[in-house]
Structures are given as structure tokens and as C-alpha cells.
Amino acid sequence: MKVLKFGGTSVGSAQRMKEVAKLITDGEKKIVVLSAMSGTTNTLVEISDYLYKKNPEGANEIINKLESKYKQHVDELYATPEYKQKALEVVKSHFDYIRSYTKDLFTLFEEKVVLAQGELISTAMVNFYLQECGVKSVLLPALEFMRTDKNAEPDPIYIKEKLLAQLELYPDAEIYITQGFICRNAYGEIDNLQRGGSDYTASLIGAAINASEIQIWTDIDGMHNNDPRIVDKTSPVRQLHFEEAAELAYFGAKILHPTCIQPAKYANIPVRLLNTMAPDAPGTLISNDTEKGKIKAVAAKENITAIKIKSSRMLLAHGFLRKVFEIFESYQTSIDMICTSEVGVSVTVDNTKHLNEILDDLKKYGTVTVDRDMCIICVVGDLEWENVGFEARHLMRCVIFRYV
């Protein structure tokens, strides 16, 4: 069985939903993971902001506009009065739920609960459309099987057990529709996966059922060899190793979150990136296979801050590096790159929220200098070069430049 994930732009209108329905009804049994319709999550965040600010009038105005938009989508999507009515009732129930928070401002408000309504609505709409078309489609509530543990990490044992139990309830179904992004936490509260969102959901589901392939459908035909927003005439990379894809994602390729395909990597399940706007394009296949003898792609990460700690007295002392890293850990600031020399250590970060506090603590152990507005260039591939400085069997090299 395959797992297919479609992002917000892929289900961003009634016409897009119809096109997704055509793509997934090929006679093969599959699980389809859907995001909220494009723009919905941002609007729900805006509604949440009004609720936090105790402004029910502002929240209701945005709620009404969004609900009207969904009613229009319903009118365009369904051909029969029966399914239009079913969809309208579901849409109304979810918006009435959101609107309930505006009636009692003393009710405990949780933004993640409001955000979850986007995925719940989009999946219900697509499921109804498939049923109207005569497809044996079933809605699997992600909140029944997708869970994180007390460390806010996915609980794979729980996910597998509960998901398989859900699938056994509907052995004759052709298509299983479920929500991406949303889950419950270890305490049973509605939460979300944050990193990678719906892509992460698809990867976790694929690993749980040992899928033959995970397909991530977006609005671009795979991972490109450079950033098409900056570089002209880029082209898709047809094959990548999981580590190459993660490296490119971490250093600038926005099509994937660097951690979202880890479950697929560990389960050895190939991930294919495809384009809903050009479904015949081959896209990018990510697997544990390595293609030797070539550089695959270049990625860039901007707005990098480089910090150098120079201390000939402390560098060789036992525990020096540990003390340096503990400072960053204490402020929950991740390090991108590390470089050491005889008299110092340099690191780069992209999160400068606690930079001043970090610098103050680092000055206890040496002289600290900072370079801002830097850019990391990452070259990814598998190549053995001679006498050129990029010598590595599995080439993933990063160079820092000042960003101008």
C-alpha cells in the first residue's frame, strides 16, 4: 500500500480537490494524507490572535469571511444536493465550534485546537466528494492514532497499533483519507507535529504500515539542484539519498523539512516528491540508494551568525567544548556548523533570539567575536575528487560566505 500526501495548494480550491481525486482513484488501495486548504491555517492563526486579545468582534468577522469562502467551495465541489448538504453541515459544525470561543472569553482557549479545524474540514470535504463519485472512501481520524510522547516526539508503537486497528475496521475501503499535521499529545490533548507538518504525518504512517512508497505531492516537480526563486533555469534532481535530501532541506530547500522523512529512512521506504500541477513529471525519488560520481545540488541558508571563541588557555583543557555547547543548549539554540582550530572554536547559528545572553556566557571562557549576515553554501553529492579540496566519499560540504 502507498501513502500519498497532498499539501494546502493541492487542495486549495474545489477544482484542485477534483484533480486530487482523479490522481488517487487508480484502483490501488492507499492512504491519503491531506493538509488544510491553502491560506486556512494562517487565517485560523489570525482568529486565534483576536481570541487571545479578547476581541470577539474581530474574531467573528474573520470567522464569517472564512466560513463564506468554504460555503462557496462546497457549492463548486459537489454535484448533488445530498452531498452539498452533508458538506455544509460539517463546515457549519466546525465553524460553530470555533465561534463558541467568542461567546465565553473566560473559556480556556487553546490555539492548537482551532488550528486543527482546517485539516478536519478539508479531509471531510474530499472524503464526501470521493463518495459522491462512487469511490469506497473512508475517513480515518488522525486524532485516533497519531500521538506524541511526553518529549513531544511521535510515539511510533502507539501510532502503529492504533492505525492498524483503524484499518481493520474498513477492510473493503479503496481510499483511506486522514489529516496531516494534527495529533494528540501524551495527555490526550489536541496538538500538532510542528516539524514537517503533513509530510511528517505521511512518513510516520508509511513506516507504521510498511508502505511500498510514500508520495509527497506539492506545487513543484521535486527537489531542484538550486533554489528556483534565486537561480534561473534550475532543474529537478531525479534521485537523492535520504541524507542528501535532509542536508539540502536543512540548508535551504523549502520543499521538505529536514526531519520529516526520518521515519521513512529508518524503515527503508522510498519517498517520491511529485507535482500536482504536472502529475506526469517524474519528480524526485529519495531512498537509501546512492548515485555515485556526481554533485546533486547546491543549497544556501541566509541570515547566519558566526561566533568564534578564542582561548589558547582553555581550548585544550578538559571539558572546554562541553561548556561551550552547554551554553547554547541552555538557551535552546541549535548550532548549524562547527569548526575548531588550535586556539579556538567557531560555530554558526540562525536563531539569534538569545544571542546577547549566549555571548555574555561565552566570554567567561575566551575572547568572543561575531560575524552577522553570513550565508552557508551547501554542496551535496557523492563524489571522489583528487587534489581539489572537496575530498570525501559522501560529499556534503558547507562553506560560509558573507551575505550581501
Side-chain angles (χ1 to χ4, degrees):
M1 192 188 305
K2 293 180 180 179
V3 177
L4 281 63
K5 173 264 175 180
F6 292 88
T9 55
S10 298
V11 291
S13 66
Q15 184 57 38
R16 290 270 183 258
M17 287 183 175
K18 291 178 180 180
E19 291 169 2
V20 166
K22 290 179 183 178
L23 286 172
I24 64 179
T25 50
D26 56 3
E28 293 184 6
K29 184 172 289 196
K30 57 180 66 67
I31 298 177
V32 179
V33 179
L34 300 180
S35 299
M37 296 181 74
S38 57
T40 297
T41 301
N42 288 339
T43 305
L44 293 174
V45 169
E46 185 179 2
I47 292 169
S48 299
D49 189 47
Y50 278 113
L51 293 174
Y52 274 127
K53 290 179 169 59
K54 309 295 184 185
N55 182 350
E57 293 82 7
N60 274 319
E61 183 176 342
I62 306 300
I63 291 169
N64 293 338
K65 286 181 180 179
L66 186 60
E67 185 176 14
S68 295
K69 186 182 294 186
Y70 269 91
K71 288 180 179 178
Q72 182 179 346
H73 291 317
V74 167
D75 188 58
E76 296 170 354
L77 182 58
Y78 304 99
T80 63
E82 177 189 357
Y83 279 93
K84 281 187 180 183
Q85 185 60 33
K86 285 184 177 182
L88 286 173
E89 288 174 0
V90 168
V91 168
K92 183 179 184 301
S93 68
H94 285 288
F95 280 99
D96 283 349
Y97 179 76
I98 299 171
R99 198 176 282 110
S100 69
Y101 285 108
T102 68
K103 297 176 181 178
D104 185 0
L105 296 179
F106 295 100
T107 301
L108 184 63
F109 167 66
E110 181 57 59
E111 182 184 45
K112 291 176 181 178
V113 177
V114 173
L115 298 187
Q117 306 309 307
E119 279 75 14
L120 294 172
I121 296 172
S122 66
T123 50
M125 288 175 64
V126 171
N127 184 55
F128 282 145
Y129 178 72
L130 290 170
Q131 291 178 352
E132 185 183 49
C133 294
V135 179
K136 292 181 180 178
S137 174
V138 171
L139 189 61
L140 298 182
L143 298 178
E144 295 294 325
F145 62 85
M146 191 62 60
R147 189 179 77 169
T148 56
D149 58 23
K150 292 182 179 180
N151 296 318
E153 294 294 336
D155 186 341
I157 296 175
Y158 180 95
I159 293 169
K160 181 175 182 176
E161 177 187 344
K162 297 299 182 180
L163 175 57
L164 293 179
Q166 287 283 314
L167 293 174
E168 288 176 359
L169 295 175
Y170 310 100
D172 297 329
E174 298 173 13
I175 306 292
Y176 301 95
I177 303 291
T178 192
Q179 300 86 20
F181 183 55
I182 67 175
C183 66
R184 291 192 186 274
N185 59 28
Y187 309 100
E189 302 162 334
I190 293 179
D191 209 324
N192 57 62
L193 295 172
Q194 299 180 11
R195 299 170 301 178
S198 298
D199 294 346
Y200 207 4
T201 300
S203 187
L204 289 164
I205 290 175
I209 67 167
N210 194 27
S212 59
E213 183 175 280
I214 298 167
Q215 297 180 358
I216 296 177
W217 291 78
T218 64
D219 56 357
I220 186 170
D221 53 341
M223 191 172 283
H224 280 227
N225 58 2
N226 215 311
D227 192 336
R229 298 168 301 177
I230 300 173
V231 179
D232 292 332
K233 299 179 180 179
T234 63
S235 59
V237 182
R238 296 308 178 198
Q239 192 277 333
L240 284 170
H241 188 277
F242 278 112
E243 292 181 6
E244 293 170 339
E247 196 81 4
L248 288 172
Y250 187 80
F251 286 104
K254 302 300 184 184
I255 191 172
L256 276 181
H257 189 281
T259 62
C260 74
I261 55 175
Q262 281 185 355
K265 172 188 174 183
Y266 298 143
N268 197 27
I269 299 171
V271 175
R272 196 179 297 272
L273 309 181
L274 295 165
N275 185 1
T276 51
M277 314 303 174
D280 295 329
T284 299
L285 179 65
I286 305 170
S287 68
N288 280 315
D289 296 330
T290 301
E291 192 175 17
K292 296 184 178 297
K294 63 189 296 186
I295 288 178
K296 297 295 186 65
V298 177
K301 191 174 186 180
E302 302 171 349
N303 302 316
I304 295 296
T305 299
I307 305 168
K308 182 175 182 179
I309 308 100
K310 183 178 179 182
S311 176
S312 56
R313 176 177 63 87
M314 290 292 295
L315 183 63
L316 298 179
H318 177 73
F320 171 70
L321 290 178
R322 175 179 57 79
K323 293 175 182 177
V324 169
F325 296 145
E326 282 179 348
I327 291 172
F328 288 91
E329 181 182 3
S330 66
Y331 292 104
Q332 297 182 328
T333 301
S334 299
I335 294 173
D336 290 322
M337 294 175 57
I338 305 167
C339 180
T340 60
S341 67
E342 290 83 357
V343 294
V345 57
S346 298
V347 301
T348 65
V349 298
D350 63 358
N351 178 5
T352 58
K353 181 178 179 180
H354 299 289
L355 181 60
N356 291 333
E357 297 97 319
I358 290 171
L359 296 178
D360 286 340
D361 287 352
L362 289 174
K363 287 175 183 177
K364 300 173 184 176
Y365 304 108
T367 304
V368 180
T369 56
V370 180
D371 287 312
R372 293 175 171 83
D373 298 323
M374 306 295 282
C375 177
I376 296 176
I377 305 296
C378 176
V379 182
V380 170
D382 190 284
L383 192 62
E384 291 184 2
W385 289 0
E386 294 182 358
N387 304 319
V388 291
F390 279 93
E391 296 178 359
R393 180 179 176 277
H394 198 79
L395 173 66
M396 287 186 288
R397 287 291 179 263
C398 300
V399 183
I400 304 176
F401 293 95
R402 183 172 297 282
Y403 174 66
V404 292

